[in-house]
Amino acid sequence: MKIGIIGSGYVGLVTGACFADLGNDVICVDNDKAKIASLKKGVMPIFEPALEETVLRNVKAGRLIFTSDIKTAAMASSIIFISVATPPKSNGEPDLSQVENVSRQLALCFDASYKLVVEKSTVPIRTGEWIEHTLKVHAKKTARFDVASNPEFLREGSAINDFMHPDRIVIGVESKKAKDTLLELYKPIKAPIIVTDIKSAEIIKHASNSYLATKISFINAISNICDKTGADIVKVAEGMGMDKRIGRAFLNAGAGWGGSCFPKDVAAFIHIAEKTGYDFKFLKEVLRINEEQKKNVLEKIRNGLWILKGKTIAVLGLAFKPNTDDIRSAVSVDLIDMLKKEGANIRVYDPKAAAKAKTILKGVVFCKDAYEAARNSDCIVVMTEWPEFSELDFNRIKKLVRQPFVVDARNLYEPQSLKKLGFKYVGMGRR
Ligand code: NAD
């Protein structure tokens, strides 16, 4: 099939590369000319496992091309995915101006051939209606098109695998042609497909992300009780998770959820509910627990160091999760801001996110590895559970630090193993 992808970021690029890998002809568009120039040279603008080889393989096979000209994709494609960003405004409402802009541009390029415009970006309920309205206003009277919703559930860090092996595919459609087109497109992927109306598909995405964030906030709340009583949150989560109705996934206590999706999608869902006349107090509390959890990490550092002014803190991990270079709304960035306000000196290390972090984190020392970051530090805070951090040589680290003190904000270590080496250890809901 002929596919156009508008917006070649974390979602668009992965979607385009995977559809090409399934044998389709794909044109990936982005208005960031530097990004397109880099992709044309075979240089990935983001770090994502298996992305580079998938892109290069399909470019070589002639199934994947990149352009900054939306018209090329609009004319050549029969299915067009909109995968631009939907960032939050200060009141939590998602900013849909990129979606509107793309819809308008697409409409101006449409001829009389049938086009299926698919919202892939995470958007509020009724966005499908607005896209259709915008297309109608700006397209020629002879234009023929449908709008569909196909929310994306991939996770950064395992995006290619998630796209190719999803738990489910959600298709929101209002016409048989749109339904048949998307079912045909997804035929090679072996996963259950749920076909619904557009509004339900839009809600499925926000409800799913909000539920996952809720699960994390729930276990973080329990971890606070463990902190106060001496119980072990890891054992509690294990015991809860064995119940099939609950499941073990997303029951890892930590520094709170961050990243480019959960914070903005939870805020958006609260706002969307408000617009329908429903006060989503429950979700507001989920958000509040998350904000509180970030402060809990700061409190744990303070409890171990007394005065933070002039102390040196080594922050291990900046990315909001392992295996990505994405630092959008990462909890590490909030923590570093709080620490800097208290006058602490910050040394940081992240295996992949340093380049992106350098653009927003000022006044911190970027180090080449965890050992260099730990040098002369009064406290090591683990903020991302990168696999390489679980293999650190803490005997070596002990000789480098000023004070052997670890705040394990991702519960990566066995408390006893570090304590035996002479470290003061504090986890989230375990000690
Ligand atoms: P992103 O910022 O990485 O990518 C968006 C891209 O769109 C950017 O490269 C930008 O330059 C481009 N763009 C903006 N306006 C454009 C225009 N007029 N024409 C062409 N390109 C344009 O964002 P992302 O992380 O890929 O997220 C995209 C959407 O997918 C969001 O709604 C997000 O919530 C959703 N989503 C993201 C993830 C994730 O893990 N990142 C997962 C599922 C869903």
Side-chain angles (χ1 to χ4, degrees):
M1 292 172 126
K2 308 272 185 211
I3 298 171
I5 307 277
I6 318 300
S8 305
Y10 285 88
V11 166
L13 187 55
V14 169
T15 302
C18 289
F19 278 139
D21 222 28
L22 294 172
N24 301 288
D25 289 326
V26 179
I27 303 177
C28 276
V29 183
D30 206 288
N31 64 353
D32 179 341
K33 292 205 166 99
K35 198 174 262 191
I36 292 299
S38 154
L39 282 163
K40 279 185 170 166
K41 280 191 222 136
V43 179
M44 297 306 109
I46 54 168
F47 170 73
E48 183 59 46
L51 180 64
E52 185 174 300
E53 53 266 41
T54 311
V55 167
L56 297 183
R57 181 168 63 242
N58 287 284
V59 168
K60 198 169 167 208
R63 287 190 296 262
L64 179 61
I65 59 171
F66 300 102
T67 177
S68 48
D69 177 28
I70 195 169
K71 195 169 180 187
T72 312
M75 302 282 284
S77 316
S78 52
I79 312 177
I80 299 161
F81 285 88
I82 301 179
S83 50
V84 293
T86 49
K89 295 183 187 172
S90 55
N91 64 351
E93 182 183 359
D95 177 354
L96 299 174
S97 56
Q98 294 182 30
V99 175
E100 192 266 352
N101 181 18
V102 166
S103 310
R104 204 161 12 92
Q105 289 187 65
L106 284 174
L108 297 173
C109 306
F110 284 176
D111 50 23
S113 61
Y114 175 79
K115 309 283 179 190
L116 178 58
V117 177
V118 189
E119 45 178 43
K120 193 72 164 156
S121 299
T122 302
V123 290
I125 183 164
R126 301 223 164 86
T127 302
E129 288 174 4
W130 278 111
I131 293 176
E132 189 174 355
H133 173 79
T134 308
L135 292 172
K136 273 189 186 144
V137 168
H138 295 281
K140 289 190 194 100
K141 293 285 163 276
T142 49
R144 292 185 304 125
F145 57 82
D146 274 319
V147 173
S149 164
N150 171 222
E152 184 49 58
F153 299 95
L154 62 76
R155 295 160 298 176
E156 289 174 23
S158 53
I160 297 268
N161 191 56
D162 289 347
F163 191 93
M164 292 299 205
H165 308 282
D167 288 344
R168 80 308 205 180
I169 292 162
V170 175
I171 287 174
V173 284
E174 307 293 339
S175 82
K176 184 171 181 314
K177 192 166 170 82
K179 175 182 160 185
D180 292 347
T181 307
L182 286 173
L183 288 179
E184 181 66 24
L185 176 66
Y186 277 110
K187 216 177 199 171
I189 295 183
K190 299 283 162 266
I193 298 187
I194 168 161
V195 179
T196 176
D197 58 283
I198 295 180
K199 284 185 203 154
S200 303
E202 289 167 338
I203 288 205
I204 287 171
K205 176 63 190 178
H206 272 120
S208 300
N209 272 6
S210 297
Y211 187 78
L212 292 171
T214 299
K215 235 181 145 183
I216 301 174
S217 279
F218 184 84
I219 202 71
N220 280 339
I222 306 289
S223 81
N224 291 326
I225 300 173
C226 290
D227 268 339
K228 290 180 199 306
T229 56
D232 183 345
I233 191 66
V234 174
K235 288 287 168 206
V236 173
E238 211 176 290
M240 288 172 64
M242 278 177 188
D243 187 326
K244 285 194 194 71
R245 296 168 302 175
I246 299 173
R248 179 66 182 81
F250 281 75
L251 286 184
N252 294 322
W257 36 268
S260 65
C261 290
F262 286 2
K264 101 174 157 55
D265 292 349
V266 169
F269 209 28
I270 291 170
H271 191 271
I272 291 160
E274 217 159 82
K275 273 181 94 172
T276 67
Y278 178 67
D279 183 1
F280 212 151
K281 288 197 184 109
F282 173 86
L283 213 46
K284 287 179 183 166
E285 184 60 12
V286 168
L287 196 61
R288 194 197 61 75
I289 291 170
N290 198 53
E291 289 310 307
E292 192 179 82
Q293 194 70 355
K294 297 178 195 173
K295 293 187 192 127
N296 287 343
V297 179
L298 179 72
E299 203 49 37
K300 284 169 193 277
I301 301 171
R302 198 186 276 127
N303 285 343
L305 293 182
W306 188 29
I307 306 296
L308 294 179
K309 188 159 192 265
K311 299 275 164 59
T312 299
I313 317 288
V315 178
L316 301 189
L318 297 169
F320 83 96
K321 63 187 286 196
N323 292 319
T324 180
D325 60 351
D326 198 349
I327 49 153
R328 290 178 288 180
S329 303
V331 179
S332 62
V333 175
D334 290 344
L335 179 75
I336 288 169
D337 272 354
M338 291 189 271
L339 288 167
K340 274 169 60 187
K341 280 196 188 112
E342 303 243 354
N345 306 311
I346 316 289
R347 298 169 70 78
V348 300
Y349 167 67
D350 188 285
K352 295 285 179 201
K356 290 210 164 111
K358 276 179 188 164
T359 62
I360 59 161
L361 282 180
K362 303 295 171 200
V364 307
V365 178
F366 282 86
C367 301
K368 70 171 188 343
D369 61 23
Y371 299 101
E372 195 193 316
R375 193 175 292 279
N376 293 328
S377 67
D378 297 286
C379 173
I380 295 172
V381 195
V382 180
M383 290 301 290
T384 315
E385 59 276 40
W386 280 98
E388 70 174 67
F389 295 159
S390 32
E391 277 147 32
L392 289 175
D393 177 355
F394 274 92
N395 276 314
R396 185 176 158 198
I397 287 181
K398 193 158 174 230
K399 295 189 191 107
L400 294 169
V401 296
R402 189 180 294 132
Q403 299 192 53
F405 174 34
V406 172
V407 173
D408 183 2
R410 296 294 173 191
N411 285 346
L412 194 59
Y413 306 111
E414 267 313 311
Q416 287 312 321
S417 65
L418 286 191
K419 283 182 187 171
K420 264 192 217 140
L421 295 176
F423 280 86
K424 181 157 70 176
Y425 172 93
V426 181
M428 307 301 291
R430 69 188 323 216
R431 41 190 165 159

